[in-house]
Amino acid sequence: MDSALRIDDVRLTPVLIKDPPLLNTQGVHQPFTPRLVVEVVTTGGVTGLGETYGDTRYLDLARPLAEALPGRSVTDVNGLFALAAEVCDPGAAGGVDDRVDAGGLRGAQTADKLRLSVVSAVETACLDALGRTLGLPVHALLGGKVREEVEYSAYLFYKWGARPGAAPDPADPWGEALDPAGIVEQARRFDRAHGFGSFKLKGGVFEPEREIAAIRALAKEFPGRPLRLDPNGAWSVETSLAVARELGDVLEYLEDPATGTEAMARVAAGTEVPLATNMCVTTFEEVPDAFARGAVRIVLCDHHYWGGLHRTRELAALCRTYGIGLSMHSNTHLGISLAAMTQVAATLPRLDHACDTHYPWQSEDVVTTAPEFRAGRLAVSDAPGLGVTLDRDRLADLHRRWAEDDGRMRDRDDAAAMREADPAWTPGRW
């Protein structure tokens, strides 16, 4: 093994980034969202970057993995999974047990899913370091790009103009969007600023009739543009089918209208509207049942969930084999993750729909140059590694915010944020 490719150090930097008051079926985004920046430093003096969720349960798993990595090669990304299973004991990591969470915006969480999300950031950082060392972009390490640009979709949210009891944030240019007119105006801004060709609305916030009206208003304003609706499993099978009947002529796809493979299969059997998911198919173990039952026609891949960029390509191959469409899911991410998304998306022979991204909502970042969407697309960088440079001063500022936090923001909790505004609030189910 080339000694220059050995890992000398791994730095973990949790940060808190500003997040606007975006609504979803679980509540409202908190004022700050935790993210974790991973730096893998080689003995050759090269630093690779990765990023993932920064909640405490991820940090508790990332720390022992970081301690175990020095001395290994950045080329040994296949070995990360066995190493993580060995050293990231979920019972010792903040009390995480095998079944962490029965729901949420990303489906059921398990200790294995949490480990994969941590491994994804380390794998990305290793690939970035390897690419920088060899003078190659990450897409070259994954087999080479098949497209020069990656198309992204505008991500629309119901949104408060300001948090209850607070003045509007002067750094937030978006304003309120709580009705069809507000959603259409939001879409116009995305269109003007970034040229996105398709629009996805985060639903499950209000009664379905209200969200149907918003989609209809978008279809009228942007005739022929692909439209998507994602209520994050907030609807019953019956409601899902009713919405599909109402919007079947304008929807590109309906994402996770109901919760779980069984319910999704029942919806799929009753409508021609394609169903997409990033909730009921988030691990390879969940693939056979969902595909066999016809529960989904589109999988929204996410390298954080699946364990990295190589495993994202493995998922894409499965989808091609079984005739399942492919797109890409997004979370509240920084420029490091967006660069990783773009690099792996560039290598997928079939990418059937524009990818999701939250990035235009973020007003803070840790990279020196913000990526620029042109006609809703990002150019695929050919610079070594991921093609991004860390802004260490900004990283230090955002980490200082995390260090000074009293603990309320270190774990994302949209429901808690909503109950600060309305103590009697409960998630809507229709």
Side-chain angles (χ1 to χ4, degrees), residues 54-67:
D55 306 67
T56 303
R57 59 180 59 169
Y58 297 94
L59 279 171
D60 287 342
L61 295 173
R63 288 182 177 119
L65 181 58
E67 292 173 359

Side-chain angles (χ1 to χ4, degrees), residues 7 9 12 33 41 78 136 162 175 199-200 203 351 369 377 417 425:
I7 297 173
D9 189 24
L12 306 177
T33 288
V41 185
N78 288 338
L136 294 172
F199 300 95
K200 170 176 165 176
L351 197 57
T369 303
R377 299 169 183 268
W425 176 87

